Amino acid sequence: MDFTPICRPTLLIHPVKARNNIRMMTAKAERAGARFRPHFKTHQNRKVGEIFREEGTRSITVSSVIMAEEFAGWRWKDITIAFPVNLRELESITRLSRKVDLNLLVESEEVCRKLSKVLPEETGIWIKIDSGARRTGIPVENPREVYTLASLIKQLPNLNLKGLLTHAGHSYHGASAAEIRGIFTESLSKLTSLRKDLRERGVGEMEISWGDTPTCSLVEDLSGADELRPGNFVFYDLQQYTLGSCTQEQIAAAVACPVVAIHKDRNQAVVYGGAIHLSAQPLQLADGKTIFGQVLKQDETGWGGLIPDAHVVSISQEHGVVQMKAEDIKRLQAGDILLIAPVHSCLAANLLRGNHLFIF
């Protein structure tokens, strides 16, 4: 590929790999009989969104009101904001609810009461359930609290209770593929039992919305969830590869970093690409080594798999230090471009928004 136009850290998106990832996850949702509502926070990109649309996606998830407004402006009409309602954004939420079929996330009575007073028309409401991540949401083990909130939502005007929504974020800490699959089975079983309990208490029928890339990638049969909301799968990254969620060849986003210095005495290259480009999120490998990215093999399509033992071993704001084998270092010159697979593609894509180069 010709990297002549690249002069600073640039996010490259491989549309063929991304489309294949989208088709794979779309097919899994169809086999499970679930609505596919992918999380767009990973790419935050209009063109990637159009690839989803071409592959049949009509309902999407976002992580903020600002993101929802942006995608609404790009003709997306069915949007869930998978972040607890921020009461300081009620004016924006109200305005947005007039433009799209909006779904909101709640976990407290106070928020529900205030929403009911300001929303101009019926809006979809999901109760956020903590299925084990311990970040936010009502613990799945607390059916009484969920019942109290669900009963209130059913009584309040302009709130349409859709169901129970969870993000199994603890799957990112799974020690093996088997453990990640077990998280799905156990957590979904608890959610199903909670839904049954609520139904028996008279709350009515509710759906289960499930989202996280590791389980959605590693579990073959996702039946039991009514809606699936993975996001990172569109690009994948080093973290997902380490978890076993994807192959090297499925990594669909890379950061192109110019080489600015070479230190052959220590087999290191310095690239223009640091924490403000790759993010400061580290990844610990099985051998205990901490890295911030790994170099990809360049080919005529853009890139293939990972180069062994070619890691970003330290970063500062603008700098990245890449440790490589001696034979790889010898082939480098200042001004070359290294393609770095990020630890977390969501963070890299957000940091480099507006600086994307598509490979077609």
Side-chain angles (χ1 to χ4, degrees), residues 160-178:
N160 177 19
L161 180 59
K162 293 290 190 71
L164 311 172
L165 182 148
T166 194
H167 175 261
H170 49 313
S171 67
Y172 282 81
H173 304 293
S176 66

Side-chain angles (χ1 to χ4, degrees), residues 6 46 59 100 139 179 210 217 231 249 268 276 322 347 354:
I6 297 176
R46 183 174 187 171
S59 304
V100 301
E179 184 176 330
W210 181 276
S217 297
E249 289 70 24
Q268 290 181 339
I276 63 172
V322 181
L347 297 179

Side-chain angles (χ1 to χ4, degrees), residues 237-265:
D237 49 37
L238 285 184
Q239 183 179 41
Q240 297 291 346
Y241 172 64
T242 303
L243 289 170
S245 303
C246 68
T247 65
Q248 297 180 22
E249 289 70 24
Q250 286 179 290
I251 296 175
V255 181
C257 297
V259 175
V260 296
I262 299 171
H263 298 273
K264 294 182 180 180
D265 57 319

Side-chain angles (χ1 to χ4, degrees), residues 313-329:
V313 294
S314 69
I315 55 172
S316 53
Q317 181 165 320
E318 305 281 354
H319 301 69
V321 177
V322 181
Q323 188 79 47
M324 304 180 76
K325 293 179 179 179
E327 58 264 33
D328 293 326
I329 283 289

Side-chain angles (χ1 to χ4, degrees), residues 87-101:
L87 291 178
R88 289 181 174 271
E89 292 184 294
L90 285 183
E91 184 177 342
S92 297
I93 290 171
T94 299
R95 187 166 56 247
L96 187 61
S97 70
R98 294 190 177 101
K99 299 178 181 179
V100 301
D101 293 328

